[in-house]
């Protein structure tokens, strides 16, 4: 396991138990972002880096009982918190690294990633791996419940010119990974970049 993985696991392990309590009002933002994926009854969707699984209920609502919802995360403590919250009842939880997903190629219709991009050790390769498991024409949502400026202010820092979530960086990053960005929103109330897998 790389130092990047160790750091990510340590960061989230220390915060897993009270993660949901720290952000109690994010539910509607998750539901709205999940709706933007355009999922249909019976679709197959992955929540990559699912954490405590806050996106799993709206994703399940979108795909219905005949659909497939998978939540994958690198940190066991986050998945334990997801089970404690009962979210394992609406989706299958998987201890997995988004850099090497144990899923067949083109087996999914969509991927949802909340707060994911900032924690990827090799963003282009990792986004390419997400593209591998999605069918051509499938969708990707990179989401955060608050925008870049609001998040930086919350963390007591400034946005740097190298920020991967800036549209000028993210669009070519996605393009180099097999995705075409179709929508980009970065406002105080949310960050949401949508992309379609090239076919």
């Amino acid at each position: 396991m790389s130092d990047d993985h160790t750091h990510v696991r340590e960061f989230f392990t220390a915060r897993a138990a009270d993660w949901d309590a720290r952000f109690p009002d994010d539910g509607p933002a998750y539901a709205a972002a999940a709706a933007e994926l355009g999922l249909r009854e019976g679709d197959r969707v992955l929540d990559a880096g699912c954490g405590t699984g806050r996106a799993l209920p709206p994703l399940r609502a979108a795909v219905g009982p005949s659909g497939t919802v998978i939540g994958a995360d690198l940190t066991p403590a986050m998945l334990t918190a997801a089970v404690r919250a009962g979210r394992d009842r609406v989706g299958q939880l998987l201890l997995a690294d988004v850099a090497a997903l144990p899923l067949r190629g083109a087996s999914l219709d969509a991927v949802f990633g909340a707060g994911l991009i900032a924690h990827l050790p090799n963003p282009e390769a990792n986004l390419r791996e997400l593209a591998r498991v999605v069918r051509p024409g499938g969708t990707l949502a990179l989401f955060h419940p608050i925008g870049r400026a609001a998040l930086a202010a919350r963390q007591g820092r400034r946005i740097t010119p190298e920020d991967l979530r800036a549209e000028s960086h993210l669009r070519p990053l996605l393009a180099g990974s097999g995705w075409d960005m179709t929508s980009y929103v970065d406002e105080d109330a949310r960050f949401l970049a949508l992309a379609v897998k090239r076919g």
Side-chain angles (χ1 to χ4, degrees):
M1 187 166 58
S2 73
D3 289 341
D4 292 308
H5 288 135
T6 301
H7 171 73
V8 169
R9 274 196 175 151
E10 288 174 352
F11 178 89
F12 286 107
T13 296
R15 293 160 176 80
D18 68 342
W19 187 261
D20 286 358
R22 292 173 62 197
F23 309 106
D25 302 323
D26 286 350
Y30 272 79
E36 296 272 356
L37 275 171
L39 293 166
R40 294 172 301 205
E41 184 88 20
D43 275 355
R44 300 154 299 172
V45 60
L46 169 69
D47 182 2
C50 68
T52 62
R54 288 181 292 173
L56 299 182
L59 292 173
R60 169 58 66 196
V63 302
S66 65
T68 300
V69 177
I70 302 167
D73 202 274
L74 186 66
T75 306
M78 291 299 254
L79 295 177
T80 298
V83 171
R84 199 165 39 248
R87 295 177 183 132
D88 57 324
R89 293 193 292 270
V90 294
Q92 176 189 349
L93 298 176
L94 190 62
L95 181 63
D97 183 353
V98 299
L101 291 163
L103 300 170
R104 289 189 330 272
S107 61
L108 302 173
D109 297 292
V111 174
F112 184 89
L116 179 68
I117 191 87
H119 298 287
L120 297 178
N122 186 340
E124 186 166 346
N126 302 152
L127 290 167
R128 194 175 302 119
E129 172 65 357
L130 295 180
R132 180 188 69 79
V133 300
V134 173
R135 64 169 174 78
T139 53
L140 169 69
L142 297 174
F143 164 74
H144 200 282
I146 60 175
R148 294 186 309 130
L151 181 61
R154 177 192 284 175
Q155 296 172 343
R157 60 176 179 82
R158 292 173 182 247
I159 298 174
T160 65
E162 298 81 30
D163 187 346
L164 285 179
R165 291 162 294 190
E167 184 174 10
S168 59
H169 293 302
L170 189 56
R171 186 177 294 277
L173 176 63
L174 286 165
S177 308
W179 301 95
D180 290 323
M181 186 188 289
T182 57
S183 174
Y184 181 91
V185 176
D186 180 18
E187 53 197 23
D188 282 350
R190 71 171 178 164
F191 174 90
L192 182 64
L194 298 173
V196 172
K197 181 183 172 181
R198 285 197 298 273

